[in-house]
Amino acid sequence: MTKREISSKEVDLITIRFAGDSGDGMQLTGNQFTTNSALFGNDIATLPDFPAEIRAPQGTLAGVSSFQLQFSNQDIHTPGDQLDVLVAMNPAALRVNIADLKPNGMIIANTANYNKKNFNLASYENDPLEDGTLDDYKLIKVNMNDMVNTALENVDLPSKMKSRSTNMFALGILYWIYERNLDSTIKFLEKKFKTKPAIVEANTIALKAGYNYGDTIEAIRTTFRVSKAKLSKGTYRNIMGNECLTLGLIAAADRADLDLFFGGYPITPASDILHILSKYKNYRIKTFQAEDEIAGICSILGAAYAGDLAITASSGPGIALKGEAMGLGIITELPIVIINIQRGGPSTGLPTKTEQSDLNQAMFGRNGECPSVVIAAQSPSDCFETAFEACKIALEFMVPVVLLSDGYIANGSEPWKLPDLKKLPKIKTKIISKSDDEKFLPYKRDEKTLSRQWALPGTPGLEHRIGGLEKAAVSGNVSYDADNHDYMVNMRQKKIDVISEYIPDVEIYGSNKGELLVLSWGGTYGACRAAVERANNNGLSVCHVNLKYINPFPKNLAEILLKFKKVMIPEINLGQLSSIIRSQFLIDTINYNRVSGKPFTTTDIYNKIEEIIKES
């Protein structure tokens, strides 16, 4: 084989991670490869990872930003475990990410940033590219800065601006290795920088230079091809979790024929919901950026009282501030949706890292006996359906609903099949225009759903009073009667419990009984499903159930749990769902917990499954 003889190899799936300083454009680079793969027709899943600091010192471990994606010709559920390729723009990026690279995996390093200062910042005593540390990997060393500056010598830009195109050079190399077309990224650049033609030109030239460099370097003798995935027929778009969730809210307002009011305060990683909704004002949407979290939720209580679909969104610290007003929503029985995009805690915690540690907060984090519906999204593309369902339950049962997502789901992306909006169910609200009784009784209930009627202020004959003091069971008058309080407390709980009659039964992946059931909720879904698939392929007796509805649980859950000898519950917390399952169903569970700011991998879950089966 001569230097220019290149072979091509068909593979099923590839996992790539772009890593560098937060100013190196790794998120943009990863998003471009993701978009390219989605347009080609691969199944994809992504995992962006941001530093907590807005601008951490360059070259430091704390400042590393990365973007991981897995693309495949098969149905995939996670962004991948071990990496096939690590693009390490500096020593810190290498130090933070090298442990995740497969043996004999490829490292593409920008040698321009591998200098003594950066070695010290990354705690390297010697140059890792030269001291044999990376002998187990396929190392591609390239001075991207020099290559880009040479390619851009005729472009009228300052050298500092030219060096910002190195991420496009790295992307070009990857496009060549995986036989990708450059057109989607060139079109993106032309659109994003349409008023800055010199930047378009510089990035386009850098992209093509990286692509051509791949064709000349002797160290790369094989390119790889991942064919299209066999997805069900339909129109798809690549979508992030927060955007998909927002579209679900908009669809629910449309099917309920209501205005949507969003009141909230910016907080990572929930801020995108406010930003995205503000762009859809032509869909009867009103957004209010409040001065604080308390004002945000109080504004939606007013909006719900006035007849809007009322939404707020935050993360754990903000939800803590909203607690008292959430109780007001529960005692007044107003239809509101409280979205919690969970992140690492407690307090400010890990603002840019994922966690599942707010389940207990959603279930119990209010004073008094104060039950709320709790529903959890399982993946970026599932956010649409989950948001729609949260709104539907709130409006049809006149209850506050807590919708749990997390940073992993919110910032991750995957293909989403566009739904037929005409086939989405109509949402029937409890709004009335007149009373069936001589005097309107605000807490008179539907016999089946136990929901009260929704009387809008200003409607003749429907004058009434609601507020935070306990109400008489039917009239809604303030009541301090002990027996009435006992009745109303139990009624509010019963109202939540009855919803189990209207939600779907849980479905088992695998047989209906067996040695082990993996029970998951939220963002652990993908890793658990992929691990159980692998276990089944290896002959292990394992099934999987993922819970979307957590309060109330689906009515067939107890029956399913009793069919398995062991139940394992993986959670990115210290066992919150497990404690609830144990207390409600009196069964033992096997906890598998991690609170590291990172999602489980498929291998993590699979190894734990193997361990449990072997112990049996």
Side-chain angles (χ1 to χ4, degrees):
M1 175 181 285
T2 65
K3 178 180 177 181
R4 306 223 18 116
E5 289 178 345
I6 302 297
S7 63
S8 179
K9 182 179 180 181
E10 180 80 27
V11 293
D12 291 329
L13 74 169
I14 291 292
T15 303
I16 298 171
R17 185 180 296 169
F18 299 91
D21 269 323
S22 56
D24 284 340
M26 296 296 94
Q27 304 302 321
L28 185 147
T29 308
N31 272 311
Q32 282 307 297
F33 200 108
T34 301
T35 300
N36 186 289
S37 299
L39 290 171
F40 179 75
N42 296 133
D43 195 12
I44 53 175
T46 69
L47 175 61
D49 193 10
F50 313 92
E53 291 79 8
I54 293 175
R55 185 63 174 167
Q58 284 190 326
T60 62
L61 300 176
V64 173
S65 174
S66 69
F67 189 104
Q68 178 175 323
L69 71 145
Q70 181 173 217
F71 59 106
S72 177
N73 58 16
Q74 304 169 347
D75 183 26
I76 57 175
H77 308 291
T78 75
D81 286 5
Q82 289 186 298
L83 309 174
D84 294 286
V85 180
L86 170 63
V87 177
M89 300 297 279
N90 61 19
L94 181 69
R95 166 73 76 181
V96 170
N97 295 286
I98 188 63
D100 296 329
L101 186 64
K102 292 177 179 177
N104 203 39
M106 181 182 293
I107 301 169
I108 300 176
N110 181 10
T111 58
N113 297 323
Y114 283 73
N115 52 49
K116 187 174 181 179
K117 177 185 175 182
N118 285 339
F119 296 152
N120 291 334
L121 290 171
S123 301
Y124 281 117
E125 293 183 5
N126 302 302
D127 184 350
L129 304 184
E130 303 293 345
D131 66 1
T133 301
L134 306 177
D135 286 350
D136 291 336
Y137 307 102
K138 185 181 295 182
L139 178 60
I140 308 298
K141 297 184 293 184
V142 51
N143 191 320
M144 298 185 193
N145 292 42
D146 282 354
M147 299 289 288
V148 167
N149 283 328
T150 300
L152 301 183
E153 60 185 357
N154 294 323
V155 178
D156 186 20
L157 279 175
S159 58
K160 189 175 181 180
M161 292 292 291
K162 292 178 181 179
S163 66
R164 293 182 180 177
S165 301
T166 54
N167 62 327
M168 288 294 105
F169 185 91
L171 182 61
I173 296 175
L174 269 295
Y175 277 172
W176 183 81
I177 293 172
Y178 293 104
E179 302 181 9
R180 299 284 149 159
N181 189 291
L182 308 182
D183 289 349
S184 65
T185 297
I186 293 173
K187 289 177 182 177
F188 165 80
L189 294 169
E190 290 171 346
K191 182 178 180 181
K192 183 174 178 64
F193 302 108
K194 61 183 178 181
T195 61
K196 300 175 181 178
I199 293 178
V200 175
E201 182 185 11
N203 281 281
T204 301
I205 291 173
L207 180 71
K208 292 179 178 179
Y211 189 91
N212 293 330
Y213 178 81
D215 196 26
T216 61
I217 186 169
E218 186 175 359
I220 304 176
R221 294 174 175 266
T222 303
T223 60
F224 301 90
R225 182 173 57 255
V226 180
S227 58
K228 295 181 180 181
K230 295 179 181 178
L231 303 172
S232 60
K233 189 176 181 181
T235 302
Y236 288 81
R237 61 173 290 189
N238 183 50
I239 198 164
M240 294 175 67
N242 271 352
E243 183 181 6
C244 198
L245 187 152
T246 304
L247 296 177
L249 301 175
I250 296 171
D254 176 74
R255 300 305 285 169
D257 194 23
L258 296 176
D259 288 0
L260 187 154
F261 178 90
F262 180 95
Y265 182 76
I267 183 172
T268 300
S271 301
D272 286 342
I273 297 171
L274 169 60
H275 299 159
I276 296 168
L277 280 172
S278 68
K279 299 175 183 178
Y280 288 91
K281 294 178 181 177
N282 54 316
Y283 284 88
R284 298 171 61 184
I285 292 170
K286 296 164 283 189
T287 55
F288 167 55
Q289 181 172 320
E291 63 268 31
D292 56 40
E293 296 283 5
I294 298 171
I297 189 165
C298 287
S299 71
I300 74 164
L301 290 173
Y305 182 62
D308 287 352
L309 172 57
I311 314 289
T312 190
S314 188
S315 192
I319 299 296
L321 292 169
K322 295 179 189 292
E324 182 182 1
M326 288 172 67
L328 179 58
I330 289 167
I331 199 170
T332 55
E333 300 183 39
L334 286 169
I336 60 175
V337 176
I338 305 103
I339 300 166
N340 182 352
I341 311 295
Q342 300 166 94
R343 70 188 204 187
S347 186
T348 309
L350 301 174
T352 60
K353 308 300 180 184
T354 196
E355 211 160 279
Q356 287 184 298
S357 53
D358 296 346
L359 177 58
N360 281 342
Q361 182 186 47
M363 291 285 290
F364 313 115
R366 297 165 294 279
N367 65 295
E369 293 292 339
C370 195
S372 175
V373 175
V374 180
I375 183 172
Q378 68 184 33
S379 68
S381 62
D382 177 62
C383 284
F384 179 90
E385 180 184 326
T386 304
F388 187 92
E389 184 68 4
C391 297
K392 187 172 185 292
I393 290 173
L395 293 168
E396 293 186 347
F397 291 89
M398 293 292 289
V399 290
V401 175
V402 177
L403 192 168
L404 295 176
S405 179
D406 58 52
Y408 169 60
I409 296 173
N411 295 319
S413 66
E414 62 184 2
W416 172 54
K417 184 178 179 180
L418 271 61
D420 185 343
L421 298 181
K422 295 179 181 178
K423 292 183 179 179
L424 292 175
K426 276 280 187 183
I427 297 177
K428 299 177 181 179
T429 70
K430 300 298 179 180
I431 294 175
I432 58 171
S433 57
K434 62 180 181 178
S435 175
D436 294 333
D437 301 290
E438 185 176 334
K439 181 181 179 182
F440 175 59
L441 301 170
Y443 284 88
K444 182 180 179 180
R445 301 181 183 279
D446 180 279
E447 292 182 0
K448 292 183 178 179
T449 65
L450 303 181
S451 59
R452 73 174 187 88
Q453 296 172 323
W454 196 2
L456 305 188
T459 307
L462 301 184
E463 296 83 359
H464 65 289
R465 176 174 56 185
I466 61 173
L469 293 173
E470 185 63 278
K471 300 297 179 290
V474 178
S475 69
N477 295 327
V478 173
S479 172
Y480 297 103
D481 181 78
D483 289 340
N484 177 76
H485 178 59
D486 181 80
Y487 174 84
M488 290 297 282
V489 165
N490 280 282
M491 176 57 69
R492 286 189 284 268
Q493 181 61 58
K494 189 176 180 182
K495 185 179 178 182
I496 301 297
D497 295 339
V498 79
I499 294 173
S500 65
E501 299 294 327
Y502 296 88
I503 61 177
D505 287 347
V506 292
E507 296 181 359
I508 303 178
Y509 175 79
S511 60
N512 289 328
K513 59 182 179 179
E515 186 71 30
L516 175 66
L517 175 68
V518 177
L519 182 65
S520 64
W521 71 276
T524 57
Y525 161 79
C528 290
R529 178 56 57 89
V532 170
E533 287 178 352
R534 185 189 300 180
N536 288 342
N537 291 336
N538 292 336
L540 301 179
S541 178
V542 187
C543 298
H544 179 218
V545 163
N546 189 76
L547 291 175
K548 174 177 288 190
Y549 304 90
I550 300 177
N551 194 36
F553 287 124
K555 60 181 182 295
N556 70 327
L557 180 59
E559 176 187 350
I560 287 174
L561 294 175
L562 294 173
K563 291 181 177 180
F564 293 86
K565 295 179 182 179
K566 295 185 177 182
V567 177
M568 179 181 89
I569 305 181
E571 298 182 79
I572 309 176
N573 59 44
L574 296 183
Q576 295 183 18
L577 176 65
S578 183
S579 296
I580 296 169
I581 292 291
R582 289 183 180 196
S583 66
Q584 288 203 22
F585 300 107
L586 302 179
I587 64 167
D588 195 12
T589 58
I590 299 170
N591 290 14
Y592 185 38
N593 306 112
R594 176 178 297 173
V595 193
S596 62
K598 295 182 178 181
F600 284 114
T601 67
T602 301
T603 301
D604 292 333
I605 305 296
Y606 178 79
N607 289 343
K608 186 64 177 179
I609 288 171
E610 248 191 350
E611 177 188 320
I612 294 169
I613 296 293
K614 286 179 180 178
E615 288 176 356
S616 300

